[in-house]
């Protein structure tokens, strides 16, 4: 079987990608330091515990497995923390990516898929963002993502290592079989927080900003199901292994929902209205971030098939219940 190195494969999007890779006949090799990932989430392929800041360890794992390609998820991803501790983000995200690319280059692995983010577009005003939109990240997390995108182009020139950059919009939802799901500590994402507020596991949900220039005054985002994201990675890997050229793809559902619309969907699916309180804007939140996904549809032959808002929220709710019950040992 063709081995694919998956850094961060014990994390939320990474573990869903491993499931999709295995279903497509690949053998994932997960490399994860388990600082945000979970060993229980590695259910497809082996887990090699290691930190990308440890050059020897990543060199050893790549040399041992000789993967045909790599998907690089491993990254610190809290925007707020990146503002207060930029060194931690630059050191971890960028140095980690350098060490990974060096290890891949030494093993002559010539294809990498990189998890980037729509955060590289900054405060864009484009209603539907395509890949040609100027990039202008506005926080250290986004800067590290953009820096790695630039760096990958340099590795291609030097080593012939082709890259596919996937810029995610809002990853959401969970595996339909509830084998894996979203577990962040701390949790900062809207949908799991709204579910916890509906069930009473958290007091109430703060709506960050109600005076945006949107229909209901709250931010509009493009929520894409994590299973759809996972499938896009499989397509990107296949394209790279077939000799495809380096490219950049936006991955979203191509539709926008406001914070209030998401909260209404959570109330509907859970069957209990979400207790909310209007709060101040969160620093660095653009009013609207919605993808134009035609490039991924045309060039990867990909469709966001699982990304209706109700399916996203239903799968997140199923996982929340399963995980909460499991965590309580019931
Ligand atoms: N949001 C909110 N309250 C929360 C968490 C998030 O109002 O407790 C809003 C946030 O301002 C943004 C949207 O929900 O407009 C999605 O935020 P999330 O953190 O889930 O993803 P992000 O867009 O930051 O990647």
């Amino acid at each position: 079987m063709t081995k694919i190195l998956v850094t961060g494969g014990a994390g939320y999007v990474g573990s869903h990608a491993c499931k999709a890779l295995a279903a497509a006949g690949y053998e994932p090799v997960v490399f994860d330091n388990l600082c945000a990932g979970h060993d229980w989430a590695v259910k497809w392929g082996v887990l090699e515990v290691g930190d990308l800041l440890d050059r020897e360890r990543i060199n050893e794992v790549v040399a041992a497995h000789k993967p045909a390609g790599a998907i690089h998820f491993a990254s610190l991803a809290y925007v707020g923390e990146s503002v207060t501790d930029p060194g931690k983000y630059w050191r971890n995200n960028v140095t980690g990516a350098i060490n990974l690319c060096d290890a891949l280059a030494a093993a002559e692995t010539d294809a990498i898929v990189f998890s980037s983010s729509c955060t590289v577009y900054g405060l864009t005003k484009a209603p539907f963002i395509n890949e040609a939109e100027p990039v202008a990240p506005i926080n250290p997390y986004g800067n590290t993502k953009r820096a790695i995108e630039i760096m990958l182009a340099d590795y291609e020139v030097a080593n012939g290592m082709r890259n596919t950059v996937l810029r995610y919009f809002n990853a959401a939802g969970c595996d339909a079989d509830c084998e894996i799901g979203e577990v962040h500590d701390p949790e900062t994402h809207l949908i799991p927080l709204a579910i916890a507020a509906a069930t009473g596991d958290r007091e109430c949900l703060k709506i960050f900003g109600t005076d945006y220039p949107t229909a209901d005054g709250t931010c509009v985002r493009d929520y894409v199901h994590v299973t759809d994201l996972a499938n896009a990675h499989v397509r990107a890997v296949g394209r790279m292994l077939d000799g495809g050229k380096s490219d950049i793809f936006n991955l979203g559902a191509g539709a926008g929902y406001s914070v209030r619309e998401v909260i209404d969907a959570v109330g509907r699916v859970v069957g209990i209205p979400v207790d909310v309180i209007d709060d101040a804007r969160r620093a660095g939140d653009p009013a609207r971030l919605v993808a134009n996904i035609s490039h991924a549809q045309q060039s990867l032959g990909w469709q966001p098939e699982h990304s209706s808002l109700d399916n996203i929220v239903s799968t997140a709710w199923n996982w929340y219940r399963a995980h909460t019950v499991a965590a309580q040992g019931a």
Side-chain angles (χ1 to χ4, degrees), residues 23-101:
Y26 295 103
E27 184 180 343
V29 174
V30 172
F31 186 88
D32 201 299
N33 65 6
L34 300 180
C35 87
H38 311 278
D39 53 4
W40 54 257
V42 182
K43 301 187 171 177
W44 301 272
V46 294
L47 169 61
E48 295 279 10
V49 177
D51 196 307
L52 284 173
L53 297 184
D54 180 348
R55 285 175 65 100
E56 270 181 39
R57 180 73 183 128
I58 184 61
N59 285 341
E60 170 189 285
V61 168
V62 171
H65 290 281
K66 298 187 176 46
I71 310 180
H72 179 39
F73 292 102
S75 154
L76 295 173
Y78 289 106
V79 170
E81 184 187 47
S82 82
V83 174
T84 54
D85 195 353
K88 181 174 175 184
Y89 276 68
W90 281 94
R91 192 173 308 109
N92 184 81
N93 293 0
V94 178
T95 308
I98 294 170
N99 292 345
L100 171 64
C101 288

Side-chain angles (χ1 to χ4, degrees), residues 73-311:
F73 292 102
S75 154
L76 295 173
Y78 289 106
V79 170
E81 184 187 47
S82 82
V83 174
T84 54
D85 195 353
K88 181 174 175 184
Y89 276 68
W90 281 94
R91 192 173 308 109
N92 184 81
N93 293 0
V94 178
T95 308
I98 294 170
N99 292 345
L100 171 64
C101 288
D102 283 344
L104 295 173
E108 297 182 356
T109 300
D110 69 349
I112 181 167
V113 175
F114 172 54
S115 297
S116 189
S117 163
C118 65
T119 193
V120 299
Y121 296 114
L123 295 172
T124 175
K125 292 207 162 46
F128 293 91
I129 302 168
N130 68 33
E131 295 80 358
E133 192 66 25
V135 286
I138 57 157
N139 55 58
Y141 166 69
N143 286 332
T144 65
K145 289 288 173 184
R146 180 61 190 147
I148 296 166
E149 291 183 1
I150 295 168
M151 187 186 84
L152 289 174
D154 291 341
Y155 272 83
E156 179 170 18
V157 172
N159 304 97
M161 189 192 302
R162 291 157 302 119
N163 64 79
T164 299
V165 169
L166 301 179
R167 291 179 178 159
Y168 312 156
F169 283 65
N170 287 57
C174 295
D175 174 42
D177 306 323
C178 266
E179 291 187 281
I180 40 178
E182 182 169 20
V183 182
H184 292 117
D185 184 18
E187 185 54 78
T188 60
H189 293 108
L190 178 61
I191 292 173
L193 289 180
I195 290 174
T199 58
D201 292 334
R202 280 181 184 254
E203 277 190 357
C204 75
L205 182 84
K206 291 180 178 169
I207 300 183
F208 296 144
T210 54
D211 59 348
Y212 284 98
T214 58
D216 66 16
T218 65
C219 288
V220 171
R221 293 287 178 276
D222 183 337
Y223 297 87
V224 56
H225 198 286
V226 66
T227 298
D228 284 327
L229 282 183
N231 291 338
H233 288 77
V234 174
R235 287 180 179 267
V237 163
R239 189 180 145 278
M240 295 251 86
L241 298 189
D242 286 344
K245 288 192 297 195
S246 294
D247 210 342
I248 299 176
F249 299 97
N250 285 344
L251 297 179
Y257 291 99
S258 72
V259 172
R260 285 202 200 283
E261 286 174 315
V262 172
I263 290 168
D264 287 348
V266 169
R268 218 168 36 238
V269 168
V270 175
I272 311 168
V274 181
D275 212 1
V276 297
I277 181 163
D278 292 354
D279 201 359
R281 290 184 179 197
R282 191 173 66 176
D285 267 342
R288 178 186 163 96
L289 282 174
V290 181
N292 173 331
I293 56 170
S294 52
H295 186 41
Q297 288 172 311
Q298 283 156 21
S299 301
L300 293 178
W302 171 79
Q303 285 296 342
E305 291 165 1
H306 306 276
S307 293
S308 71
L309 186 57
D310 276 28
N311 188 54

